[in-house]
Amino acid sequence: MILIVPTYPTKHARHSAKDLTRHVARKVLLACFAVVLFLVSGAGFAYHDLMSQLNRIDVNDMLGSDRPTRAEPATDNYEGQAVNILILGSDTRSGANNVDNSEGSEDVAVARSDTAMVLHMSADRSRIDVVSIPRDTLVSIPECTTADGQTEPAMEDTQFNAAFANGAGTGSDAAAVGAGVACTIKTVEALTQVRIDEWMVVDFNGLSTMVNALGGVPVYVSEDIDDADYTGLVLEAGCHTMDGTMALQYSRVRHGVGDGSDISRIARQQNLMSAMLRTAQSKNLLTNAGELYSFLRSALAALTVSETLSLSTLTGLAQSVQAIGMENVNFITMPNEPASWDANRVVPSAQAEAVWTALREDTPVPEESVTVSADGSTPAATDPAATDPAATAQEAPTTQEQAPATVPSAAATTSDPAAQCR
């Protein structure tokens, strides 16, 4: 009898294959884990890098307790809640903002406010209203704390932009900016009874940087500008693609165009901002991670913001803007009239209260108060071309590069020529 000893070669092979499969699976899992770890770490580094660009300042202790109240406590990202953001443009010439070689002048080297807008985003994220407050508005400025801890007494019938100066004093550093912002917030809230939830300051260099980060902005200039002596801006009416330098000149110009008033300058600033929004939307930055990161890094470095305005909050608000649509982003100049005792200054008119009430109650502002929407359209009630097609034909660009030399149809007479600049 022959004794046969089994060797089980097949079973051993199956066991080796299983070991090999497990070994490979572990390697694949480790590789995937490494990739995920890399991506998560990269996102983390990117987040912290972007956050490091933001200059955040806490001014809450300088605002006091005598403030308008919110209907409900604010959440971290204001999800499902209305939010009011005060946007200030600083005209200090300190450091990189010394755009006209005037840094040595005491009037411009310190922190000063040049532009003030209250941005209201509705709770249902269906609209955004941006209300500009003319710097020449005569207002009551509450008692404010200065950057060095001193008390600046309350003032009556004082030019609005003096509020920022009262807080900032003679400084231009972060403490001066924070104190200037706090005094401006108190003044805005006293004027409007609208609670300011967040704030941001953009200086000269910041505006220029953001326009350049967008790759330039197509802007429709409604009338010839000849300001060679001050800003250096000389432009013919029509479409112009503005880089950061030209955009800054356009936003500041008051000579050689219009009546030289702050009110007419506000209209140009609103025109530039709406063009910037259209440009950002047309680039669809949210779908291009590289372009988005590059733009955010440049844009965030240009801002000084409230302590609670985090990157996630800014991202959420930006996504809301994208979803709302340009036609539902409205720019308004606070309704005003000349002050009876000072022809060079203005005071809020009776219609101004309707605008502030709309912001307080989170309802649409009166249409007749809207200057322009971000899509370039203007309300028929305030557009002369809506009732005078000949005026539209006269004001519209005529060269092939600017726009077709055709008279718009009656349906298009409420459309601003700015919408033609792409």
Side-chain angles (χ1 to χ4, degrees), residues 82-254:
V83 57
N84 299 305
I85 303 175
L86 179 64
I87 303 173
L88 299 175
S90 169
D91 67 353
T92 177
R93 310 300 203 278
S94 178
N97 296 295
N98 187 25
V99 296
D100 52 9
N101 299 314
S102 58
E103 184 175 4
S105 168
E106 293 182 359
D107 294 333
V108 295
V110 296
R112 292 290 182 266
S113 173
D114 184 60
T115 303
M117 302 177 176
V118 178
L119 183 153
H120 174 85
M121 183 177 292
S122 65
D124 63 4
R125 299 302 188 259
S126 65
R127 68 186 182 281
I128 293 176
D129 295 315
V130 185
V131 186
S132 295
I133 302 175
R135 59 181 288 177
D136 296 337
T137 305
L138 294 178
V139 298
S140 297
I141 299 177
E143 179 182 280
C144 295
T145 303
T146 64
D148 58 4
Q150 302 300 311
T151 299
E152 188 72 26
M155 305 171 71
E156 297 293 329
D157 292 331
T158 304
Q159 190 167 305
F160 172 75
N161 68 333
F164 196 98
N166 282 5
T170 59
S172 60
D173 57 6
V177 171
V181 168
C183 194
T184 304
I185 290 175
K186 294 179 70 173
T187 302
V188 170
E189 291 185 341
L191 172 68
T192 67
Q193 291 304 304
V194 172
R195 171 82 176 214
I196 299 300
D197 301 303
E198 306 287 356
W199 58 266
M200 57 179 65
V201 176
V202 184
D203 56 30
F204 282 165
N205 185 55
L207 173 63
S208 179
T209 297
M210 282 192 280
V211 171
N212 285 334
L214 286 170
V217 177
V219 177
Y220 178 76
V221 178
S222 61
E223 56 185 319
D224 292 347
I225 298 174
D226 187 0
D227 186 31
D229 294 335
Y230 291 88
T231 62
L233 184 65
V234 178
L235 289 176
E236 293 183 355
C239 291
H240 297 272
T241 298
M242 297 186 177
D243 62 9
T245 299
M246 186 182 293
L248 179 57
Q249 292 172 317
Y250 178 72
S251 70
R252 295 176 56 219
V253 66
R254 293 181 68 168

